[in-house]
Amino acid sequence: MKLRPIKWFMEVGQDPILAQAQAVQMRRQVPLLYGLLLINSTALAWSHADNAPILLTVAVPAFLLGITAVRLIHWVRIRNDPTPEPQEARRQLRVISLAAAGFGVGYLAWSLSLAQYGGPFEQAHTALYVSTTVIGCIFCLIHVPQAAILGAAGVLPAYFLALLGQDQHAVFAPIALNVLLVVLVLLRVLCNTFENFSTEVAAREKLAEQHEEMVRLNAENHALAHTDSLTQLGNRRRFLADITAVTGNPANVGVTTIGVIDLDRFKPVNDTFGHSIGDELLNRIAERLRQVAGPSATLYRLGGDEFGVILHASPEEAAEIAERLCQAVAMPIFVGNRELSVGASLGLAHFMDEGTACRALWEHADHALYHAKRHRRGTAVTFTDDLEDVVRGEQLLEVELKAIDVDKDLQVHVQPIVDYASGGIVGGEVLVRWTSPQLGSVSPERFIAIAERSTIIHRITLSVVERALQLLAQLPDHYSLSVNVSACDLNAPETISAILSAVRRSRSDPGRLWIEVTETAVMRDLDAAIEALNMLRGAGLKIALDDFGTGYSSLSNLHRLPLDRVKIDRSFANDLGNSYSSSISRAVIGLCETLELSCVAEGVETAEQAALLREMGCTLLQGYFIAKPLPIAQFLALDAAAEHTAEYKAA
Ligand code: C2E
Ligand code: CA
Ligand code: CA
């Protein structure tokens, strides 16, 4: 440490952190210093009691010791106070520095006055008193070097000169030199020690700052990791953490409900208008949910078009809020100058039993949502025991389904498609059938939906495709067959390539195999679907859009898809008496003509329906009126059944 005296003394307590650390240390040592001063000085006064005037042995020491005692009491009192503010710490340091000089001069003047009295022993005591007291005080002031140096400076020069000037006993001169040397060395050691102390304080401070910064960053990361960046709502991770907290606290039983929300018709908006509009829409929906949810609700975005909510309310209130959330989302939303309309289905699970685990509660809400999406779109469905039975049934089905040998345990039926223009069967649709030894005959709609939740669907699709290809080999060349392909197949490139290699292996004309996809499946991920359909079509396969009219894609979307055929959903054929159904059917048939797509009417059940459709220009028909889906052997035999053919020809 460089000694630039004035500046250095002025700097005492300037570094706020250091000043505080010094003040804390001072409190522990200054009382010792004053105590030392009191004891040493009392001893000196006492040893001179017999040979010095009462002024020097009683009056002056009483005055000095009085002030010292007052300071001692003050320091003892503040010993346990909280760390002083930097300002206060600085003040204390300055006071102690000045006090050190003041006390030094005061006590030295007194002790030197005493030195004139008594014999060599008393004088030796005085010399000893000054030197030991100075050394003791320097030690006590180790954390305030300015005070130590000021104190020493107030004492040493006069002391040194006084001892040197002692001509009665030559021994005092070497003692003086000796003490001076020791004190100088001590002061040097003290400065070194103080330098280490201040470095350590700075390092500690830096460490504390780094720690604070780390804590802040951690908190920030934690918040980021739990926040959805688009809507600023909590994300899936936070939802899971919060449900875990809910289920972990029995006080939440009966007063907490969790909900999962899935938007209806969001995907086509995103696909049609682009992701930025989709994002904006999600933001607006999040905003709307926030407005409607009220203070008892915490909202989350779980990903894509899925939201979550935790409601701290009674089951009845929670159900009401949930219904309001669905209604709020269903109101038209204007993004830019576009009016967009989506809906929300919501699954609710009340936390009614302490034993319900977090995952189970979420699963219950998911099941209720699943039920809402399938049966009560746009509404809130609450998980109940009955629903649980349905869900259990589905789970049982899933277990059974996972255990089957797809090629052996599933059968296929074929439903003929006839062409009124040529007057005969032109092929059929291959439909999968499952009769489980445990559950009996299970409708494909049920088990396909379950298969779609796992990878089983890919095996089913491939198996049906392979059987269709085998069947094609046994059928006349002008027959074609169609197979149904799920949304998940369209998103699975390996399934698409497996279909293509099966077609190549079979050596059938790929143009005889139709791939049926529903518009809902296509719209789920339009880009992926178009890519998959292009691959299939590129290999020569034909593409049919199934169940047309039930989904949400508009007629104008048709030209965006690589299509060869549209199948009008069976609900239209069944309802041709209704002017809406008949005009939609007519429009679709007309559009297919314009776009040069073939058009099949499904679900034709009566001769009237067949006649009407024919009159509208649709000659390709499929439905119970022609034939139900038939086992393969019956389908193969059908062409031979002349009366049957005659029956539909006559219609
Ligand atoms: P889909 O593709 O629309 O198949 C036509 C459904 O309509 C068949 O039901 C058929 O039996 C039924 N149907 C045919 N004609 C009539 C009629 O005149 N009136 C009435 N009311 N219904 C008629 P199915 O076989 O129960 O299949 C139901 C759905 O299951 C299919 O609807 C399809 O979405 C799915 N599915 C069937 N087989 C497969 C398959 O191999 N793979 C996939 N992914 N889905 C399949
Ligand atoms: Ca179909
Ligand atoms: Ca269909």
Side-chain angles (χ1 to χ4, degrees):
M1 190 182 290
K2 287 194 189 77
L3 280 176
R4 277 161 287 149
I6 306 288
K7 193 165 173 255
W8 191 58
F9 283 116
M10 292 313 289
E11 271 172 7
V12 64
Q14 235 169 32
D15 174 342
I17 306 291
L18 183 59
Q20 285 181 303
Q22 284 176 282
V24 167
Q25 294 300 329
M26 244 169 36
R27 282 177 188 184
R28 297 168 58 191
Q29 272 151 226
V30 170
L32 294 176
L33 181 152
Y34 284 126
L36 181 77
L37 213 45
L38 279 179
I39 293 167
N40 283 7
S41 306
T42 310
L44 187 67
W46 186 63
S47 71
H48 284 75
D50 292 340
N51 39 42
I54 196 152
L55 176 77
L56 289 181
T57 53
V58 179
V60 174
F63 173 71
L64 287 174
L65 294 182
I67 302 176
T68 308
V70 169
R71 296 306 298 161
L72 172 63
I73 292 166
H74 166 75
W75 280 97
V76 169
R77 271 203 181 148
I78 65 164
R79 203 164 47 163
N80 294 323
D81 282 3
T83 305
E85 290 301 311
Q87 274 298 12
E88 171 61 14
R90 186 172 190 207
R91 194 191 64 77
Q92 289 178 2
L93 292 174
R94 292 190 156 195
V95 168
I96 198 75
S97 301
L98 291 176
F103 277 103
V105 171
Y107 274 101
L108 182 76
W110 169 64
S111 56
L112 289 184
S113 317
L114 274 182
Q116 308 164 31
Y117 302 97
F121 286 116
E122 283 76 14
Q123 288 174 0
H125 185 189
T126 310
L128 189 72
Y129 161 77
V130 176
S131 50
T132 52
T133 309
V134 166
I135 290 170
C137 292
I138 286 175
F139 264 111
C140 290
L141 291 171
I142 201 159
H143 294 105
V144 200
Q146 287 94 335
I149 289 172
L150 270 176
V155 172
L156 282 183
Y159 170 70
F160 184 63
L161 291 176
L163 286 203
L164 278 187
Q166 262 280 1
D167 40 358
Q168 284 171 351
H169 305 287
V171 69
F172 285 111
I175 290 180
L177 268 173
N178 217 260
V179 170
L180 185 71
L181 197 68
V182 168
V183 170
L184 289 178
V185 168
L186 263 184
L187 286 175
R188 180 72 244 177
V189 170
L190 173 135
C191 287
N192 291 345
T193 312
F194 180 72
E195 201 175 84
N196 288 344
F197 172 70
S198 48
T199 314
E200 192 189 303
V201 168
R204 235 191 291 149
E205 171 60 13
K206 193 154 178 97
L207 210 70
E209 266 171 25
Q210 283 171 347
H211 179 74
E212 224 168 74
E213 176 71 0
M214 210 167 71
V215 168
R216 194 186 58 74
L217 283 177
N218 264 351
E220 215 167 74
N221 278 345
H222 187 264
L224 271 181
H226 287 77
T227 307
D228 169 51
S229 56
L230 179 66
T231 59
Q232 302 308 316
L233 296 175
N235 61 11
R236 178 175 281 271
R237 198 176 292 160
R238 156 78 37 90
F239 190 53
L240 180 64
D242 289 358
I243 305 177
T244 309
V246 164
T247 50
N249 182 358
N252 286 314
V253 171
V255 291
T256 309
T257 296
I258 74 150
V260 282
I261 303 167
D262 193 280
L263 301 183
D264 305 320
R265 302 184 300 278
F266 172 75
K267 197 77 187 152
V269 171
N270 210 27
D271 291 340
T272 314
F273 300 118
H275 291 265
S276 60
I277 299 281
D279 284 355
E280 181 58 24
L281 180 62
L282 286 172
N283 258 324
R284 304 286 283 279
I285 289 170
E287 194 47 50
R288 231 176 233 191
L289 292 173
R290 264 196 215 107
Q291 280 166 6
V292 175
S296 64
T298 313
L299 288 158
Y300 307 80
R301 177 162 168 251
L302 309 181
D305 58 353
E306 214 184 325
F307 291 84
V309 63
I310 296 183
L311 294 150
H312 292 284
S314 69
E316 298 74 26
E317 280 168 330
E320 258 173 48
I321 297 172
E323 208 51 66
R324 281 209 300 275
L325 291 176
C326 291
Q327 284 162 9
V329 175
M331 309 276 281
I333 296 176
F334 289 88
V335 176
N337 49 5
R338 286 195 184 87
E339 182 184 338
L340 302 174
S341 154
V342 290
S345 303
L346 205 155
L348 285 180
H350 303 308
F351 182 48
M352 301 309 274
D353 175 6
E354 215 180 299
T356 313
C358 155
R359 286 279 177 193
L361 194 64
W362 189 342
E363 219 163 75
H364 288 175
D366 263 344
H367 286 316
L369 172 66
Y370 179 79
H371 193 80
K373 292 236 39 118
R374 305 213 97 211
H375 308 289
R376 289 176 50 198
R377 247 165 205 273
T379 64
V381 168
T382 301
F383 181 82
T384 59
D385 289 345
D386 286 348
L387 198 85
E388 177 144 43
D389 290 343
V390 174
V391 171
R392 292 242 177 281
E394 285 182 3
Q395 283 170 341
L396 191 68
L397 207 78
E398 193 167 347
V399 171
E400 290 286 314
L401 192 63
K402 279 188 173 153
I404 61 168
D405 177 338
V406 169
D407 292 323
K408 271 214 324 258
D409 300 330
L410 295 183
Q411 287 76 46
V412 293
H413 282 187
V414 185
Q415 185 173 36
I417 298 175
V418 296
D419 185 357
Y420 270 77
S422 66
I425 297 172
V426 289
E429 176 175 358
V430 184
L431 294 156
V432 72
R433 295 289 176 261
W434 180 33
T435 306
S436 146
Q438 275 77 29
L439 309 166
S441 159
V442 185
S443 89
E445 258 153 353
R446 271 188 81 198
F447 74 82
I448 291 290
I450 289 168
E452 282 174 343
R453 284 196 244 153
S454 68
T455 52
I456 306 176
I457 189 64
H458 304 316
R459 287 193 273 137
I460 295 180
T461 302
L462 211 59
S463 170
V464 174
V465 164
E466 273 163 359
R467 283 187 257 190
L469 290 166
Q470 282 164 17
L471 188 56
L472 274 177
Q474 303 170 51
L475 289 170
D477 282 349
H478 69 282
Y479 271 54
S480 62
L481 289 175
S482 60
V483 291
N484 294 283
V485 161
S486 291
C488 6
D489 295 322
L490 295 178
N491 290 323
E494 51 300 348
T495 306
I496 302 299
S497 16
I499 293 177
L500 292 178
S501 37
V503 171
R504 272 195 298 275
R505 273 199 311 274
S506 79
R507 307 218 177 136
S508 311
D509 170 10
R512 293 174 66 202
L513 187 67
W514 288 82
I515 300 293
E516 292 192 7
V517 286
T518 64
E519 50 172 331
T520 329
V522 171
M523 291 303 159
R524 198 183 289 180
D525 187 346
L526 191 63
D527 295 337
I530 290 181
E531 196 185 329
L533 295 180
N534 275 329
M535 273 182 78
L536 293 166
R537 206 153 172 256
L541 279 75
K542 303 278 188 193
I543 311 294
L545 190 63
D546 203 1
D547 298 351
F548 189 75
T550 52
Y552 29 66
S553 76
S554 62
L555 294 179
S556 59
N557 265 342
L558 279 183
H559 75 276
R560 300 182 60 198
L561 302 171
L563 293 180
D564 302 284
R565 166 179 288 177
V566 169
K567 294 182 85 175
I568 306 174
D569 188 68
R570 58 179 183 263
S571 57
F572 292 94
N574 270 306
D575 200 23
L576 284 176
N578 178 313
S579 65
Y580 172 77
S581 290
S582 70
S583 49
I584 292 278
S585 305
R586 209 179 286 276
V588 175
I589 293 163
L591 194 76
C592 287
E593 240 172 70
T594 316
L595 297 175
E596 294 181 346
L597 302 175
S598 72
C599 181
V600 174
E602 289 187 300
V604 183
E605 292 183 352
T606 65
E608 292 87 335
Q609 290 166 1
L612 267 171
L613 286 159
R614 222 170 85 179
E615 185 256 312
M616 287 178 189
C618 182
T619 57
L620 289 168
L621 303 184
Q622 177 184 354
Y624 294 167
F625 170 61
I626 292 106
K628 291 209 163 182
L630 304 168
I632 288 180
Q634 284 185 38
F635 176 74
L636 286 171
L638 192 65
D639 202 33
E643 327 90 33
H644 187 91
T645 321
E647 187 187 327
Y648 69 74
K649 276 185 177 165

